[in-house]
Amino acid sequence: MADKVTIADVARYANVSRQTVSNVLNSPEVVREETRRRVREAVRALGYRASQAARQMRTGRSRLIAARIEPAQEDGINGSVFDRFLHGITESAARSGYRVLLYTADDHDAELATFDDLLGVYVPDAFVLTSTDYDDPRAAWLLEQRIPFVTFGRPWGVPDGQKYPWVDVDGAAGTAMATRHLLATGHRRIGFLGWPEGSGVGDDRRSGWARTLAEAGIGPDELAELDHRTEDGVPEGAAAVTALLAAERPVTAVVCVSDSLAIGALQAGNGIAVIGFDDTPVARAVGLTSVSQPLGEAAARCVALLTDMLDGDAARRRPRDEETTPGDADAPPDDPSNDGAGARGPSRTTTSGDSPAHILLEPALVHRRSA
C-alpha cells in the first residue's frame, strides 16, 4: 500500500508552509487566492484527504449541522415541502464543508431530549429548526445553551429580548397574490380554508387573504362568513368547501393554506376556482394553481447564516500565530519570515450578537387550470 499523503507532503509540493496548507483547508478566507489555487492543486495532484477526526480534535468542531426530519403525514402531500428543504440544506452545507446530521422527534419535548443526546454523542456545531410556533421552547433552550442555530420560520411570539437569526417565506404575500389573482378574474366571494387559530404559519397566510379582500371592500362580517378553519388534510378540505358551497351565499373560489386542503376542495368544489399553497408535486400533477416557496434559496440562506456564525467565531478565536497574511502566505516551509507574526487577516461579518439576520423571501404564484 502506498504511503499516506500528509499535510507536509502537500506543503512541499506547493512550496508553502504546513500552516498555510492548514489555513487553506480550514480558513481559506485568510489566504491569498493565488496561494489557495496552488495548495488546492497540490491536494488534487497528491490525492490528499484531510482526517475529519484529526480536524475535530484540533479545532473542537465537528462540522455537523443537525436538522430534524419532519414526522410523516398520512396523505404524503405536504411532506414533500420539508423533503425539498432538507435536500437544499444538505447540498448547501456540503458546498461549505459541512455535513447534515438528521434526527427525528414527534414533538418539542422529544426534540429537546434529542438535543441533549446529539450534543453528548455527535457534538453538532449548530442546528436548523423547522416548524416554528408561538413561544417555541427549542429556540429558548438553544439560546440558553449558547448553541448556534437558525430557524426556517419566524419566531412567533418570541419577546424582543430573545431574537435569533431566521429565514422565512412571506406567506401573507403569497395568499395576497393568490387573492388578487382571483379578484382580477372577477371573483368576489373568495373563501379561505385555513388551519385552526394559533398556528404562526397558518395565521400569517390567512392575514394576506383577509387584508387583500378588505382592501377590495369586503367587510368584516362577510370575511367571517368566508373564513373556514380546519385540520389539514384532503378529506378536511373537501368537507370545508362543501360547507362554504352550502351557505346562503356560496363561494365561487377558495384560497387554501396548503395543497392538501386545496386538493380536497378541488375534488368537492364542483368546478369553483381553487388555489393551494406549497406547489407540491401533487399540485403539479393535478393542475392545481399554487403558491410556490423558494425552498432551495431558503435552505442556502439558512446554511449561509450558520456558516457565517461558525466561521466568524472561529476567525475571532484563531490564535495570532495561525493567521496568514498576503505577506507570508507564499513563504516556503523553511523560510524564517513565515512566523505568523504579521498583521491579522481579513475579518468576516457575522450574524451573531445583538443584531441577528432576519431574511424574508418572496413566494411566487404558479398558474394552472384550477384557477
Side-chain angles (χ1 to χ4, degrees), residues 37-58:
R37 284 198 299 268
R38 194 160 76 245
V39 170
R40 286 166 179 162
E41 174 56 34
V43 167
R44 285 191 294 269
L46 298 175
Y48 173 76
R49 296 188 65 182
S51 166
Q52 184 63 32
R55 178 181 291 175
Q56 183 172 350
M57 290 179 64
R58 183 174 65 254

Side-chain angles (χ1 to χ4, degrees), residues 33-303:
E33 176 59 29
E34 178 185 350
T35 304
R36 292 201 300 266
R37 284 198 299 268
R38 194 160 76 245
V39 170
R40 286 166 179 162
E41 174 56 34
V43 167
R44 285 191 294 269
L46 298 175
Y48 173 76
R49 296 188 65 182
S51 166
Q52 184 63 32
R55 178 181 291 175
Q56 183 172 350
M57 290 179 64
R58 183 174 65 254
T59 65
R61 295 170 59 190
S62 64
R63 300 196 76 81
L64 292 174
I65 295 172
R68 185 180 77 167
I69 301 175
E70 293 293 317
Q73 297 179 330
E74 289 186 6
D75 60 25
I77 296 175
N78 292 325
S80 66
V81 175
F82 288 106
D83 290 346
R84 287 151 55 199
F85 177 73
L86 283 178
H87 187 84
I89 286 284
T90 303
E91 283 191 335
S92 296
R95 286 194 293 268
S96 298
Y98 289 82
R99 293 293 180 266
V100 176
L101 176 64
L102 298 178
Y103 63 91
T104 60
D106 291 332
D107 54 37
H108 287 343
D109 288 340
E111 192 164 1
L112 289 174
T114 302
F115 287 173
D116 252 345
D117 291 341
L118 293 176
L119 291 166
V121 177
Y122 299 101
V123 199
D125 290 331
F127 287 80
V128 176
L129 302 185
T130 56
S131 298
T132 57
D133 56 25
Y134 291 103
D135 300 317
D136 197 317
R138 301 169 301 166
W141 192 91
L142 291 170
L143 284 170
E144 183 178 348
Q145 301 297 318
R146 301 178 67 84
I147 297 168
F149 72 98
V150 63
T151 65
F152 178 42
R154 272 162 281 178
W156 314 105
V158 171
D160 289 342
Q162 293 186 2
K163 293 180 179 178
Y164 50 79
W166 54 260
V167 177
D168 201 5
V169 176
D170 194 340
T175 53
M177 197 182 309
T179 307
R180 285 195 298 269
H181 170 71
L182 293 171
L183 288 168
T185 54
H187 294 281
R188 294 284 294 176
R189 296 283 294 174
I190 303 170
F192 183 77
L193 303 190
W195 298 321
E197 189 172 2
S199 158
V201 174
D203 294 347
D204 181 52
R205 293 180 184 180
R206 180 194 177 278
S207 69
W209 162 83
R211 183 178 66 248
T212 304
L213 283 188
E215 292 169 352
I218 306 298
D221 291 340
E222 188 175 359
L223 279 176
E225 293 176 14
L226 298 169
D227 187 7
H228 194 108
R229 297 172 187 257
T230 182
E231 297 298 330
D232 202 35
V234 174
E236 290 80 1
V241 83
T242 298
L244 288 173
L245 287 171
E248 183 178 343
R249 291 191 296 166
V251 299
T252 63
V254 288
V255 173
C256 303
V257 75
S258 71
D259 279 353
S260 290
L261 288 173
I263 296 298
L266 198 61
Q267 292 175 350
N270 196 26
I272 68 169
V274 178
I275 298 181
F277 204 111
D278 285 330
D279 192 31
T280 59
V282 175
R284 295 193 287 274
V286 302
L288 173 67
T289 297
S290 187
V291 178
S292 176
Q293 301 193 60
L295 295 172
E297 182 179 358
R301 293 295 192 97
C302 284
V303 171

Side-chain angles (χ1 to χ4, degrees), residues 164-165 304-306 308-309 316 349-358:
Y164 50 79
L305 290 179
L306 284 181
D308 278 352
M309 282 190 282
R316 287 192 297 273
T349 302
T350 73
T351 58
S352 60
D354 296 331
S355 301
H358 301 153

Side-chain angles (χ1 to χ4, degrees), residues 288-370:
L288 173 67
T289 297
S290 187
V291 178
S292 176
Q293 301 193 60
L295 295 172
E297 182 179 358
R301 293 295 192 97
C302 284
V303 171
L305 290 179
L306 284 181
T307 55
D308 278 352
M309 282 190 282
L310 295 169
D311 296 340
D313 285 345
R316 287 192 297 273
R317 292 193 304 266
R318 188 180 300 116
R320 188 176 182 84
D321 63 1
E322 291 186 7
E323 294 289 346
T324 301
T325 64
D328 63 26
D330 293 324
D334 297 326
D335 188 336
S337 69
N338 191 14
D339 60 3
R344 294 184 63 83
S347 62
R348 293 176 63 103
T349 302
T350 73
T351 58
S352 60
D354 296 331
S355 301
H358 301 153
I359 299 171
L360 192 60
L361 303 175
E362 288 292 314
L365 184 64
V366 180
H367 299 271
R368 298 189 183 96
R369 63 177 179 270
S370 74

